[in-house]
Amino acid sequence: MRPSGRTPSELRSVRITPNCNKYAEGSCLIEMGDTKVICTASADFRIPSWMTESGKGWVTAEYGMLPRATGTRNDREAAKGKQSGRTQEIQRLIGRSLRAAVDLSKLGPMTLKIDCDVIQADGGTRCASITGAYVALALAVAKLQKEGRFEENPLSAQVAALSVGIYNGTPVCDLDYIEDSHCGTDMNVVMTNQGGFVELQGTAEGRVFTRQELNQLLDLAENGFSQLFEYQRSAIEEGKAANE
Amino acid sequence: MRPSGRTPSELRSVRITPNCNKYAEGSCLIEMGDTKVICTASADFRIPSWMTESGKGWVTAEYGMLPRATGTRNDREAAKGKQSGRTQEIQRLIGRSLRAAVDLSKLGPMTLKIDCDVIQADGGTRCASITGAYVALALAVAKLQKEGRFEENPLSAQVAALSVGIYNGTPVCDLDYIEDSHCGTDMNVVMTNQGGFVELQGTAEGRVFTRQELNQLLDLAENGFSQLFEYQRSAIEEGKAANE
Amino acid sequence: MRPSGRTPSELRSVRITPNCNKYAEGSCLIEMGDTKVICTASADFRIPSWMTESGKGWVTAEYGMLPRATGTRNDREAAKGKQSGRTQEIQRLIGRSLRAAVDLSKLGPMTLKIDCDVIQADGGTRCASITGAYVALALAVAKLQKEGRFEENPLSAQVAALSVGIYNGTPVCDLDYIEDSHCGTDMNVVMTNQGGFVELQGTAEGRVFTRQELNQLLDLAENGFSQLFEYQRSAIEEGKAANE
Amino acid sequence: MRPSGRTPSELRSVRITPNCNKYAEGSCLIEMGDTKVICTASADFRIPSWMTESGKGWVTAEYGMLPRATGTRNDREAAKGKQSGRTQEIQRLIGRSLRAAVDLSKLGPMTLKIDCDVIQADGGTRCASITGAYVALALAVAKLQKEGRFEENPLSAQVAALSVGIYNGTPVCDLDYIEDSHCGTDMNVVMTNQGGFVELQGTAEGRVFTRQELNQLLDLAENGFSQLFEYQRSAIEEGKAANE
Amino acid sequence: MRPSGRTPSELRSVRITPNCNKYAEGSCLIEMGDTKVICTASADFRIPSWMTESGKGWVTAEYGMLPRATGTRNDREAAKGKQSGRTQEIQRLIGRSLRAAVDLSKLGPMTLKIDCDVIQADGGTRCASITGAYVALALAVAKLQKEGRFEENPLSAQVAALSVGIYNGTPVCDLDYIEDSHCGTDMNVVMTNQGGFVELQGTAEGRVFTRQELNQLLDLAENGFSQLFEYQRSAIEEGKAANE
Amino acid sequence: MRPSGRTPSELRSVRITPNCNKYAEGSCLIEMGDTKVICTASADFRIPSWMTESGKGWVTAEYGMLPRATGTRNDREAAKGKQSGRTQEIQRLIGRSLRAAVDLSKLGPMTLKIDCDVIQADGGTRCASITGAYVALALAVAKLQKEGRFEENPLSAQVAALSVGIYNGTPVCDLDYIEDSHCGTDMNVVMTNQGGFVELQGTAEGRVFTRQELNQLLDLAENGFSQLFEYQRSAIEEGKAANE
């Protein structure tokens, strides 16, 4: 049995509140159970110097966590003077995932910077960040398109992420913190709504996992994605409507 | 006339939502108009090494701003690898202000760390941080006292902060961003509910200010404080009741 | 009684030696009792990138302290790899204070960089730095004007700083280290010779201060400023004469 | 066709030279084609402070690349003052992979630090690092066991890593740099010789990958691992024999 | 007697393997006994900004040591976030030494960056680095000259380095680690094949040295240099031949 | 002819003012012409952790330069966040030089920290720093000995430093900035008053130097040292007398 009483394939309650920030080109607050992340998308009409001659735009992401987002307070990265390896790994993952949903050549000379800041963490913050980041990105793209910044819509797909793992020998999806910290195997899956994998990051924690378990985990993930894509679409529609 | 249509002595709408974080010993979300700050108080049962022999506790604060809290995105301090002078100045001010409300010898060997993270900024973030930080601190003290951590209540007063300034020649209180950026003089006032000043930081921006203007600004501030203290008391009561 | 035997309104012995550095456009050594600060003003014929289009110049300041300027040696900031919050706060204060004395649009495309380096500290180093920095600045402006760098004199006023505080219940001015470290309230006042405040930074240390005490402190400060402005004028004249 | 003329399942020529460093407890030079990595294992008879009470030991890894290991010179990380996100991500992966092969409770109070330094890079440096790091680790464990440091052998399995990817639409294994930089999907697989996965990191580059492609890639990887484990065993035997 | 059984004037076995790196414009592995250094020379067709108007090129060097190059593991400088004073001192010395062998005005707008990375250290790493760096530099210059990058050969001399010292009261040359760590005086000598000194860095360790001892040490050094220059010439010829 | 009109063996005017700092255990201001350095010696009754078991004390030095000590302002190292390679090289040299004058086993568990801060630079700052540092050290030792901190005087010799070089083909001593920047060879010599060398750092700048030139430079240096030792003795006597 899962500590939360959920069935193995049951997501936590998902809530995506669009336009939570009045300045950003796009934004949302995503809540997966008690995990809460503010995602903003900011347009910067410059591109990194190494892209100058490509004619393409760029999408990049940064990730942070408030010091008391977790059960015990973590030192503030700005005060320590550097981002941890974990933070860098996560923000690189978010950036790569989002770029899989964007045709950079249609962006034009522009960088879209996505900030994912975890207000409260209860497991699965990197997956919630990706799922919310896509909503912020889509709202920003919609706003910039209304302003005539693009000739064609640069979004080529919807992208979302979900964690799965083996808890007490049973494959389960959308792990919360208690499950995550006792999990034999932990896998983050990033998919598009067109059915392919963008990223697959599986880690054995404590014991290795077999090919069969991998398949069970992927089955479970695919099932959850249809719900996530629906939550995203609904939040994007709501956010766009409010911006009319 | 003020851009917001407020009268000179009128505060923005104030909302303090206690217990916004499920882990922190005390927390609140404070909103002063469109300025929004998450304040958490975390107990750490260690004290700084230079205090080891004092028998006292310590209260300290850190301040941060999400990159897109403002109209144009600011680089993330964790990514830049250092906190700006402005950030350090503000968090030192918050810490000093809170310590004026606490009898450190009654805290015992404990550090209370207050984090003020600006989710959205529209002027007056340092004052909102202090006012909210006190609420988070008071809720944390209440919780720790219920756990029997103190013999006597270490809180000696309520502390809050308010900005005042001269906008278009008129002294006004609780400046929003538009006012702040066109302000001739800007003053942050920190007071206790017992009527004394804790901090007074006045800065001429563009032109110097006279003794008479100083007095007008302080009159205006004192008027606003009675409301702030009331908002704090009400949020603390609400937060305590929810924790029963 | 004050430890030094001074009356409440009595300044320490003040000595400002102009042209203490043979390279700087302007310089002085300021001594307020045993507090000694070397102030230099350096002209850099570039301006910060964010000012490029303003047509204005800029004035900025940096502050440092030799490791053994104090009773016990402090670690060298260059060796620690960062400037403390206190250092940054002070150098921002010095810069703001000086800019209140300069019409930046008359400077032209030039940055004046003021360095205040404390050789020996006995309280009041930030105030001595501001008072000395103005002298270095004025000598640099005089030299640059002789070279034909400005059409009009960019100095609009004289600026100086003085600390006041409540020591053993009595308001006193120009606190030395012993007074400062036992002081109930500590206030740094920056004024121009035209009678207005540039900065007012009052901090309760140990107990809050009242409106009445504030007024007593400001009365005391205003009295001391007339002497400081006179010391500055005399040093500037001496320095200019030596440069003929 | 692959640029190197290899068949899809063909590894590059593999050479593991044990004991390449005269000081380290264990070491090897691993060459996968033109990719060359020096791996050393160093015993430190201390453990991280957060493990003090666990009674367990620890295994950790660091990764670096000489500036001219690649076609164009990269800035030296020591000179830049920080390790890139990529470096941190890789060294965290190496550490996790090795810990899957070690029973930390049998290590006792000891940290084994593995350094993987890339002398020349031609694709697949993280996989070569893991495969070589295991050899260095095994040689160090053998040496320490001969010295009587452990009651039981702390190694529980052999661990190695291999990259696979889809090049020009064809799944291939052990990608070299040219393949890697034109690859549609890139996957790093870490396995033990007992048949389970330790890590699986698949990244779509340019286009997403399907469940079927994933299965093809894993089939290809499993085939290559049997050869890698044999190379490791042979090098470990050679290294141990030389240490008799 | 020397621990290695060498006579006072006897060098350790010297081996210089050219072209050890397939990407660098020039490279070698130099071994002086158990001291092993990889030296690469990389051409960067930019010059430092402060040289832009000089019309000259630049030669610079960086130095590093693998963490386990020594008997006990040293922390990785990239992980510590800064290069030690020792590292910086050595790389400045290498750069100055090489520039003594190059006519920068014949280089044209180009920076040659030499990297010396110590794979294994047994004393004399800075001298081995200089001697090997010259070989890498000469091979790079030969390659660039074949490409028509220079009108005239920018190399004006051969440069090499050798350590000498007083061990147990006897002047000896090419100190290994055991000798170095028990040495009364330690001197690094850099010379050209035209007979002059480029650098002379003598340090008394434990006891001062006399003018007479200095002369004995320099006699000893000069004798060793003729062998070093011969090793360099031979390696350069071998490396050039292989590049035909 | 030298720009200053001095003869080749003529020192600049030397002035050593003892006790220039009221807090330091020992201090002086040393002036060599227009080069001015404040030297302080601070006692810290702790020793570095790596010396804990040695029973010995330690002597170390730090070096800094005020930003406008030179003709054009240098960026402040504390603001840049790191000490340059030059600074580190110099402070390591000062430390080694002083330790040659101290019997560390007689110091007991104490670190003497010498700070050399260049107030104004006109060539030869590292040599002036060493010569002045010895005076500060000797005054600190005298003070600590009067307090009964040592059983025996830990000073074993007097140490000083002097620069020599070849200017326009002529060997000269005590180079000022103009000479230094046009110098063919530059050598810093550190000696004790017992006639031996502590450090010898010769650098060819522009052209190599011969054995004969080296001898001329050393002859010149030895001549100057007798004067320097006399200046030191006189300042130490004056300083001690003032401390009676």
Side-chain angles (χ1 to χ4, degrees):
Chain A
M1 291 306 305
R2 304 179 72 172
S4 60
R6 285 187 280 152
T7 64
S9 65
E10 191 179 346
L11 299 181
R12 291 179 286 182
S13 81
V14 179
R15 191 160 56 162
I16 306 180
T17 308
N19 302 339
C20 68
N21 176 298
K22 79 168 189 174
Y23 301 115
E25 280 68 26
S27 67
C28 74
L29 168 66
I30 181 166
E31 298 169 80
M32 304 280 294
D34 279 338
T35 289
K36 303 181 185 182
V37 187
I38 292 178
C39 303
T40 59
S42 300
D44 183 347
F45 298 103
R46 292 171 299 184
I47 50 171
S49 57
W50 53 270
M51 291 197 74
T52 314
E53 297 177 18
S54 70
K56 295 183 179 178
W58 189 238
V59 175
T60 185
E62 287 186 9
Y63 170 94
M65 215 185 235
L66 298 197
R68 195 55 195 275
T70 46
T72 53
R73 185 181 181 277
N74 291 300
D75 288 341
R76 189 177 287 269
E77 291 190 330
K80 285 194 291 185
K82 64 175 190 174
Q83 295 179 297
S84 70
R86 177 186 173 274
T87 291
Q88 293 190 57
E89 199 170 306
I90 292 175
Q91 62 194 13
R92 284 158 54 91
L93 171 65
I94 301 171
R96 282 199 311 272
S97 298
L98 294 175
R99 287 192 293 275
V102 179
D103 183 335
L104 297 176
S105 62
K106 294 183 182 162
L107 264 190
M110 172 191 306
T111 299
L112 291 174
K113 293 188 178 169
I114 316 298
D115 288 287
C116 298
D117 284 274
V118 180
I119 300 309
Q120 193 171 272
D122 188 26
T125 65
R126 80 187 68 188
C127 289
S129 294
I130 291 168
T131 303
Y134 176 78
V135 173
L137 176 69
L139 288 170
V141 164
K143 179 164 187 290
L144 292 163
Q145 197 158 16
K146 267 176 55 182
E147 294 171 13
R149 296 281 184 181
F150 316 121
E151 297 185 14
E152 291 175 87
N153 186 342
L155 293 183
S156 54
Q158 237 177 295
V159 70
L162 189 58
S163 71
V164 288
I166 299 176
Y167 176 72
N168 274 350
T170 305
V172 297
C173 87
D174 191 22
L175 290 77
D176 57 30
Y177 178 72
I178 296 183
E179 290 171 330
D180 193 24
S181 50
H182 293 86
C183 207
T185 291
D186 177 17
M187 181 170 296
N188 295 299
V189 184
V190 185
M191 294 192 85
T192 71
N193 64 337
Q194 294 155 358
F197 295 107
V198 174
E199 289 273 340
L200 204 61
Q201 296 198 334
T203 298
E205 299 191 351
R207 66 169 193 71
V208 298
F209 57 99
T210 63
R211 191 83 174 256
Q212 186 190 0
E213 287 169 330
L214 170 64
N215 279 314
Q216 289 174 317
L217 290 171
L218 294 179
D219 290 341
L220 206 51
E222 288 178 353
N223 173 64
F225 273 103
S226 58
Q227 297 172 61
L228 289 180
F229 291 128
E230 188 49 42
Y231 281 114
Q232 287 182 325
R233 271 190 295 270
S234 161
I236 294 167
E237 285 320 303
E238 181 190 340
K240 281 186 191 172
N243 290 338
E244 294 298 313
Chain B
M1 292 306 308
R2 305 179 72 172
S4 59
R6 284 186 281 153
T7 65
S9 66
E10 192 179 345
L11 299 182
R12 291 178 285 183
S13 80
V14 180
R15 191 160 55 162
I16 307 180
T17 309
N19 301 341
C20 68
N21 175 299
K22 78 168 189 173
Y23 303 114
E25 278 69 25
S27 68
C28 74
L29 168 68
I30 182 167
E31 298 169 80
M32 303 280 294
D34 280 338
T35 289
K36 303 181 185 182
V37 188
I38 291 178
C39 303
T40 58
S42 301
D44 183 347
F45 298 102
R46 292 170 300 183
I47 51 172
S49 57
W50 53 270
M51 291 196 74
T52 314
E53 297 178 18
S54 70
K56 295 183 179 176
W58 189 239
V59 175
T60 185
E62 287 186 8
Y63 171 92
M65 215 184 234
L66 298 197
R68 195 57 195 274
T70 47
T72 52
R73 185 180 181 278
N74 291 300
D75 287 341
R76 189 177 287 267
E77 291 189 331
K80 286 194 292 183
K82 64 175 190 175
Q83 295 178 298
S84 71
R86 177 184 173 276
T87 292
Q88 292 190 58
E89 200 170 307
I90 292 175
Q91 63 194 14
R92 285 158 54 91
L93 171 65
I94 300 171
R96 284 199 309 272
S97 298
L98 294 176
R99 288 193 292 275
V102 179
D103 184 337
L104 297 175
S105 62
K106 293 183 183 164
L107 264 190
M110 173 191 303
T111 299
L112 290 173
K113 293 189 178 168
I114 316 298
D115 288 286
C116 298
D117 284 274
V118 180
I119 300 306
Q120 192 171 272
D122 188 27
T125 65
R126 78 187 71 190
C127 290
S129 293
I130 292 169
T131 303
Y134 176 77
V135 172
L137 176 69
L139 288 170
V141 164
K143 179 166 188 288
L144 293 163
Q145 197 157 17
K146 266 177 54 184
E147 295 171 13
R149 297 280 185 181
F150 316 122
E151 296 186 14
E152 292 176 87
N153 186 341
L155 293 182
S156 55
Q158 235 175 295
V159 70
L162 190 58
S163 71
V164 288
I166 299 175
Y167 176 73
N168 275 348
T170 305
V172 297
C173 87
D174 191 22
L175 291 78
D176 57 30
Y177 178 73
I178 296 183
E179 291 171 330
D180 193 24
S181 50
H182 293 88
C183 206
T185 291
D186 177 17
M187 181 170 295
N188 295 298
V189 185
V190 185
M191 294 193 83
T192 71
N193 64 338
Q194 294 156 359
F197 295 107
V198 173
E199 289 273 339
L200 205 60
Q201 296 199 334
T203 298
E205 300 191 349
R207 66 169 194 70
V208 298
F209 58 99
T210 64
R211 191 81 174 257
Q212 186 189 359
E213 287 169 329
L214 169 64
N215 278 314
Q216 290 174 316
L217 289 171
L218 295 179
D219 289 343
L220 206 52
E222 288 177 354
N223 173 63
F225 273 103
S226 58
Q227 297 172 63
L228 289 180
F229 291 127
E230 188 50 41
Y231 281 113
Q232 287 183 324
R233 269 190 296 270
S234 161
I236 293 167
E237 286 319 304
E238 181 189 341
K240 281 186 190 171
N243 290 338
E244 293 299 314
Chain C
M1 293 304 307
R2 305 179 71 173
S4 59
R6 285 187 281 152
T7 65
S9 65
E10 191 178 345
L11 299 181
R12 290 178 286 181
S13 80
V14 179
R15 191 161 55 160
I16 306 180
T17 309
N19 302 340
C20 68
N21 176 298
K22 79 168 188 172
Y23 302 114
E25 278 70 23
S27 68
C28 75
L29 168 68
I30 181 167
E31 298 169 80
M32 304 279 294
D34 280 339
T35 289
K36 303 181 185 183
V37 188
I38 291 178
C39 303
T40 58
S42 299
D44 183 347
F45 298 103
R46 291 170 301 182
I47 51 172
S49 57
W50 54 270
M51 291 197 72
T52 313
E53 296 177 19
S54 71
K56 295 183 178 177
W58 189 239
V59 176
T60 185
E62 287 186 7
Y63 170 93
M65 215 186 235
L66 298 196
R68 194 55 195 274
T70 47
T72 53
R73 185 180 180 278
N74 290 300
D75 287 340
R76 188 177 289 266
E77 290 189 330
K80 285 194 292 185
K82 65 176 190 173
Q83 295 179 298
S84 71
R86 176 185 174 277
T87 292
Q88 292 189 58
E89 199 170 307
I90 292 174
Q91 62 195 14
R92 284 158 55 90
L93 172 65
I94 300 171
R96 283 198 310 273
S97 298
L98 294 175
R99 288 191 293 275
V102 179
D103 183 336
L104 297 176
S105 62
K106 294 183 182 162
L107 264 190
M110 172 191 306
T111 299
L112 292 173
K113 293 187 178 168
I114 316 298
D115 289 286
C116 298
D117 284 274
V118 180
I119 300 308
Q120 193 171 270
D122 188 26
T125 65
R126 79 186 71 187
C127 290
S129 293
I130 292 168
T131 303
Y134 176 77
V135 172
L137 175 68
L139 288 169
V141 164
K143 179 164 187 291
L144 293 163
Q145 196 157 19
K146 267 176 54 183
E147 294 171 14
R149 297 281 184 179
F150 316 121
E151 296 186 13
E152 291 176 87
N153 187 341
L155 292 183
S156 55
Q158 235 176 296
V159 70
L162 189 59
S163 71
V164 288
I166 300 175
Y167 176 73
N168 275 347
T170 304
V172 298
C173 87
D174 191 22
L175 290 78
D176 56 30
Y177 178 72
I178 296 183
E179 291 170 330
D180 194 24
S181 50
H182 293 87
C183 206
T185 291
D186 177 18
M187 181 170 295
N188 294 299
V189 185
V190 185
M191 294 192 83
T192 71
N193 65 338
Q194 294 156 0
F197 295 107
V198 173
E199 290 273 339
L200 205 61
Q201 296 198 333
T203 298
E205 301 191 349
R207 67 170 192 69
V208 297
F209 57 98
T210 64
R211 191 83 174 255
Q212 186 189 359
E213 287 169 331
L214 169 64
N215 278 314
Q216 290 174 316
L217 290 170
L218 295 179
D219 289 342
L220 205 53
E222 288 178 353
N223 173 64
F225 272 103
S226 58
Q227 296 172 61
L228 289 180
F229 291 127
E230 189 50 42
Y231 281 114
Q232 286 183 325
R233 271 190 295 270
S234 161
I236 294 167
E237 285 319 303
E238 182 189 340
K240 281 186 191 171
N243 290 336
E244 294 297 315
Chain D
M1 294 304 307
R2 306 179 71 172
S4 59
R6 285 187 281 153
T7 65
S9 64
E10 190 179 345
L11 300 182
R12 291 179 284 182
S13 81
V14 180
R15 191 161 55 162
I16 307 180
T17 309
N19 301 339
C20 68
N21 175 298
K22 79 168 188 172
Y23 302 115
E25 278 69 25
S27 68
C28 74
L29 168 68
I30 181 167
E31 297 169 81
M32 303 280 293
D34 279 338
T35 289
K36 303 181 186 184
V37 188
I38 292 178
C39 304
T40 58
S42 300
D44 183 347
F45 298 101
R46 292 171 301 183
I47 50 172
S49 57
W50 53 271
M51 291 198 73
T52 314
E53 296 178 19
S54 70
K56 295 182 178 177
W58 189 238
V59 175
T60 185
E62 287 186 8
Y63 170 92
M65 214 185 236
L66 298 197
R68 195 55 195 275
T70 47
T72 52
R73 186 182 181 276
N74 291 299
D75 287 341
R76 189 177 288 267
E77 292 190 329
K80 286 195 292 185
K82 64 175 188 173
Q83 294 178 298
S84 70
R86 177 185 174 276
T87 292
Q88 292 189 58
E89 201 170 305
I90 293 175
Q91 62 194 14
R92 285 158 53 91
L93 172 65
I94 302 171
R96 283 199 310 272
S97 298
L98 294 175
R99 287 193 293 274
V102 179
D103 183 336
L104 298 175
S105 62
K106 293 183 183 163
L107 263 190
M110 172 191 306
T111 299
L112 291 173
K113 294 187 178 167
I114 315 299
D115 288 287
C116 298
D117 285 274
V118 180
I119 299 308
Q120 193 170 272
D122 187 26
T125 65
R126 78 186 71 189
C127 289
S129 293
I130 291 168
T131 303
Y134 176 76
V135 173
L137 175 69
L139 288 170
V141 164
K143 179 165 188 289
L144 292 162
Q145 197 158 16
K146 267 177 55 183
E147 294 171 14
R149 296 281 184 182
F150 316 122
E151 296 187 13
E152 290 175 88
N153 186 342
L155 293 183
S156 54
Q158 236 176 295
V159 69
L162 189 59
S163 71
V164 288
I166 300 175
Y167 177 73
N168 275 348
T170 305
V172 296
C173 86
D174 191 21
L175 291 78
D176 57 30
Y177 178 72
I178 296 183
E179 290 171 330
D180 193 24
S181 50
H182 293 87
C183 205
T185 291
D186 177 17
M187 181 170 296
N188 295 298
V189 185
V190 185
M191 294 192 84
T192 70
N193 64 336
Q194 293 156 0
F197 295 107
V198 173
E199 290 273 340
L200 204 60
Q201 296 198 335
T203 297
E205 299 190 349
R207 66 170 194 70
V208 297
F209 56 99
T210 63
R211 191 82 174 259
Q212 186 190 358
E213 288 169 329
L214 170 63
N215 279 314
Q216 291 174 316
L217 291 170
L218 295 179
D219 288 343
L220 207 52
E222 288 177 355
N223 173 64
F225 273 103
S226 59
Q227 297 172 61
L228 289 180
F229 291 127
E230 188 50 41
Y231 282 113
Q232 287 183 324
R233 270 190 296 269
S234 161
I236 294 167
E237 286 318 304
E238 180 190 341
K240 280 187 192 172
N243 290 337
E244 294 297 315
Chain E
M1 292 307 306
R2 305 179 72 173
S4 59
R6 284 186 282 152
T7 65
S9 65
E10 191 179 346
L11 299 182
R12 291 179 285 182
S13 81
V14 180
R15 191 160 56 160
I16 306 180
T17 309
N19 302 340
C20 68
N21 176 298
K22 79 168 188 173
Y23 302 114
E25 279 69 25
S27 67
C28 74
L29 168 68
I30 181 167
E31 297 169 81
M32 304 278 295
D34 280 337
T35 289
K36 302 181 185 183
V37 187
I38 292 178
C39 303
T40 58
S42 300
D44 183 346
F45 298 102
R46 292 171 301 183
I47 51 172
S49 58
W50 54 269
M51 290 197 74
T52 314
E53 297 176 20
S54 70
K56 295 183 179 176
W58 189 239
V59 175
T60 185
E62 287 185 8
Y63 171 93
M65 215 185 234
L66 298 197
R68 194 57 194 274
T70 47
T72 54
R73 186 182 181 275
N74 290 301
D75 287 341
R76 189 177 287 267
E77 290 190 330
K80 286 193 293 184
K82 64 175 191 174
Q83 294 179 296
S84 70
R86 177 185 173 276
T87 292
Q88 292 190 58
E89 199 170 307
I90 292 174
Q91 63 194 13
R92 285 157 55 89
L93 172 66
I94 301 171
R96 283 200 309 273
S97 298
L98 294 175
R99 288 192 293 276
V102 179
D103 183 336
L104 297 176
S105 62
K106 293 184 182 161
L107 263 190
M110 173 191 305
T111 300
L112 291 173
K113 293 188 179 169
I114 316 297
D115 289 286
C116 299
D117 284 274
V118 180
I119 300 307
Q120 193 172 271
D122 188 28
T125 66
R126 80 187 69 188
C127 289
S129 293
I130 291 168
T131 303
Y134 176 76
V135 172
L137 176 69
L139 288 170
V141 163
K143 179 164 187 290
L144 293 162
Q145 197 157 16
K146 266 177 54 183
E147 295 171 13
R149 298 279 185 182
F150 315 120
E151 296 185 13
E152 292 175 85
N153 186 341
L155 293 182
S156 54
Q158 236 176 296
V159 69
L162 189 58
S163 72
V164 288
I166 299 175
Y167 176 73
N168 274 350
T170 305
V172 297
C173 86
D174 190 22
L175 291 77
D176 56 30
Y177 178 73
I178 296 183
E179 290 170 331
D180 194 24
S181 50
H182 293 87
C183 205
T185 290
D186 177 17
M187 181 169 295
N188 295 298
V189 185
V190 185
M191 294 192 83
T192 71
N193 64 337
Q194 294 155 0
F197 295 107
V198 174
E199 290 274 338
L200 204 60
Q201 297 198 334
T203 297
E205 300 190 351
R207 66 171 193 71
V208 297
F209 57 98
T210 63
R211 191 81 174 259
Q212 186 190 359
E213 287 169 330
L214 169 63
N215 278 314
Q216 291 174 315
L217 290 170
L218 294 179
D219 289 343
L220 206 51
E222 288 177 354
N223 173 62
F225 273 103
S226 58
Q227 297 172 61
L228 288 180
F229 291 127
E230 188 49 41
Y231 282 114
Q232 288 182 323
R233 271 190 295 269
S234 160
I236 294 167
E237 286 318 305
E238 180 190 341
K240 281 186 191 172
N243 291 337
E244 292 298 314
Chain F
M1 293 305 306
R2 305 180 71 172
S4 59
R6 284 186 281 151
T7 64
S9 65
E10 191 179 345
L11 299 182
R12 290 178 286 182
S13 80
V14 179
R15 191 160 56 161
I16 306 179
T17 310
N19 301 340
C20 69
N21 176 298
K22 80 169 187 171
Y23 302 115
E25 279 69 25
S27 68
C28 74
L29 168 67
I30 182 167
E31 298 168 81
M32 303 279 295
D34 280 338
T35 289
K36 302 181 186 183
V37 188
I38 292 178
C39 304
T40 58
S42 300
D44 184 346
F45 298 102
R46 292 171 300 184
I47 50 171
S49 57
W50 53 270
M51 291 197 74
T52 314
E53 295 177 21
S54 70
K56 295 183 179 177
W58 189 239
V59 175
T60 185
E62 287 186 8
Y63 171 92
M65 215 185 235
L66 298 196
R68 195 56 194 275
T70 47
T72 52
R73 185 180 181 277
N74 291 300
D75 288 340
R76 189 177 288 267
E77 291 190 330
K80 286 194 292 185
K82 64 176 191 173
Q83 295 179 297
S84 70
R86 177 186 173 275
T87 292
Q88 292 189 59
E89 199 170 307
I90 292 175
Q91 63 195 13
R92 285 158 54 91
L93 172 65
I94 301 172
R96 283 199 309 273
S97 298
L98 294 175
R99 287 193 293 275
V102 179
D103 183 336
L104 298 176
S105 62
K106 293 182 182 164
L107 264 190
M110 172 190 305
T111 299
L112 291 172
K113 294 188 178 168
I114 315 298
D115 288 287
C116 297
D117 284 274
V118 179
I119 300 308
Q120 192 172 272
D122 188 27
T125 65
R126 79 186 70 189
C127 289
S129 292
I130 292 168
T131 303
Y134 176 77
V135 172
L137 175 69
L139 288 169
V141 164
K143 179 164 186 291
L144 292 163
Q145 195 158 19
K146 267 177 55 182
E147 294 171 15
R149 297 280 184 180
F150 315 121
E151 295 186 13
E152 291 176 87
N153 187 342
L155 293 182
S156 54
Q158 237 176 294
V159 70
L162 189 59
S163 71
V164 288
I166 299 175
Y167 176 74
N168 275 348
T170 306
V172 297
C173 86
D174 191 21
L175 291 78
D176 56 31
Y177 177 72
I178 297 183
E179 291 171 330
D180 194 24
S181 49
H182 293 87
C183 206
T185 291
D186 177 16
M187 182 170 294
N188 294 298
V189 185
V190 185
M191 294 193 83
T192 71
N193 65 337
Q194 293 155 0
F197 296 108
V198 173
E199 290 273 340
L200 204 60
Q201 297 198 333
T203 297
E205 301 190 350
R207 67 169 193 69
V208 297
F209 57 99
T210 63
R211 191 83 175 258
Q212 185 189 359
E213 287 169 331
L214 169 63
N215 279 314
Q216 289 174 316
L217 290 170
L218 295 179
D219 289 343
L220 207 51
E222 288 177 355
N223 173 64
F225 272 103
S226 58
Q227 297 171 60
L228 288 181
F229 291 127
E230 188 50 40
Y231 281 114
Q232 286 182 325
R233 271 190 295 270
S234 161
I236 293 167
E237 285 319 303
E238 181 189 340
K240 281 186 191 172
N243 290 337
E244 293 297 314

